[in-house]
Amino acid sequence: MGADQNLDWTKAAASALDWWHDAGVDVVVGDEGFAWLDSAAQQLAARQAVQPATAAVAPASDALPEDLAAFAAWRVGEAAPEARWGGGAIAASGPADAELMVFVDCPERDDRDLLMEGEVGRLFERMLTAIGRSRADTALASVCVRRPTTGRVPRDIEARLGEIARHHVALAFPKRLLVMGDAASRAILTMNVADARGRFHTLNHKNGRVTQVVASHHPRFLLDRPTAKAEAWKDLLLLTGEVES
């Protein structure tokens, strides 16, 4: 068992090094641990003093469950907007109390039991490893719980799905949220990734609490355009507090 664990750690380290190399990293950023959550409140207070909130939770037109477990069951049930779509629903994963949450647009073609499987998922896991994270301590959810026929979030229900996504974030209340891709960025921040990247956004919840949000490219996009990995790496450093917006 010990040998297997060592092998797993070796593979994880090699995967992280591959990611860093692709992102153009050629120097060590720092020798200390990230500890970005310890100062999140101070960083947030400073940014709020100079920057107004860029996104707020709008009340849903239809009542949504106010308990996370009840919401999770509702989300993959018959009352959800995607209930009549083909294919199976893929629920959110990760700890209910995760400090970091990630939102993507929809399940991939290869996804069966979890979001972000296959080649896209392997790149996603390398990105998490590069910042000292893993699926085990990260919450992962999608704007659509079923894959749309076109592979894109339908515009006619995009606003409703955005309300549902923001409600989900409010119930989970992560300290920080990473939205990956245009559809997830529009759902949470009402703007595309190109406009949202490079700075923190504040997502206000009804109870007065807030979540800091960073937007970045979807791993699917990075597979198609590897040169964008350098931009994604900067977004991850912003998320962890290694660089400031």
Side-chain angles (χ1 to χ4, degrees):
M1 177 174 171
D4 292 339
Q5 287 179 332
N6 289 336
L7 182 59
D8 289 343
W9 278 110
T10 300
K11 288 182 178 179
S15 181
L17 287 173
D18 287 342
W19 158 252
W20 287 329
H21 179 271
D22 290 345
V25 179
D26 56 8
V27 295
V28 177
V29 175
D31 296 325
E32 301 298 327
F34 289 125
W36 48 271
L37 292 174
D38 294 342
S39 59
Q42 295 93 322
Q43 293 177 14
L44 175 60
R47 288 189 176 90
Q48 284 182 312
V50 298
Q51 171 179 318
T54 57
V57 175
S61 54
D62 298 319
L64 295 169
E66 293 294 337
D67 173 78
L68 185 57
F71 174 84
W74 175 90
R75 193 67 192 89
V76 296
E78 293 302 313
E82 315 95 311
R84 292 179 176 81
W85 297 2
I90 299 183
S93 60
D97 59 349
E99 294 175 326
L100 174 63
M101 187 176 195
V102 178
F103 244 94
V104 295
D105 52 356
C106 62
E108 299 295 309
R109 292 185 184 278
D110 298 332
D111 293 351
R112 296 294 180 266
D113 301 314
L114 290 172
L115 291 168
M116 308 277 272
E117 294 181 329
E119 187 178 10
V120 170
R122 287 190 290 274
L123 178 55
F124 172 65
E125 290 168 359
R126 286 168 58 192
M127 295 171 73
L128 289 180
T129 300
I131 59 171
R133 292 274 164 178
S134 70
R135 286 182 183 265
D137 59 18
T138 302
L140 175 61
S142 56
V143 177
C144 298
V145 296
R146 299 172 189 266
R147 183 173 176 81
T149 303
T150 63
R152 297 178 179 273
V153 178
R155 288 300 181 103
D156 60 334
I157 60 170
E158 187 176 47
R160 175 59 174 164
L161 290 172
E163 292 174 352
I164 294 170
R166 293 191 296 272
H167 184 76
H168 188 173
V169 176
L171 293 179
F173 184 47
K175 291 185 182 299
R176 295 197 179 180
L177 172 68
L178 176 64
V179 292
M180 307 185 84
D182 281 337
S185 183
R186 285 197 301 269
I188 302 296
L189 300 173
T190 66
M191 65 179 74
N192 289 331
V193 166
D195 299 320
R197 283 191 61 252
R199 65 188 187 277
F200 277 109
H201 301 267
T202 302
L203 185 63
N204 298 304
H205 306 305
K206 291 184 294 185
N207 55 13
R209 300 187 300 186
V210 298
T211 292
Q212 290 182 301
V213 186
V214 170
S216 188
H217 302 300
H218 194 289
R220 185 193 315 119
F221 178 86
L222 298 177
L223 289 174
D224 292 336
R225 302 186 186 181
T227 56
K229 287 182 178 180
E231 293 182 349
W233 176 239
K234 292 178 182 178
D235 299 331
L236 294 179
L237 292 179
L238 175 62
L239 182 73
T240 61
E242 290 297 292
V243 299
E244 296 185 0
S245 59

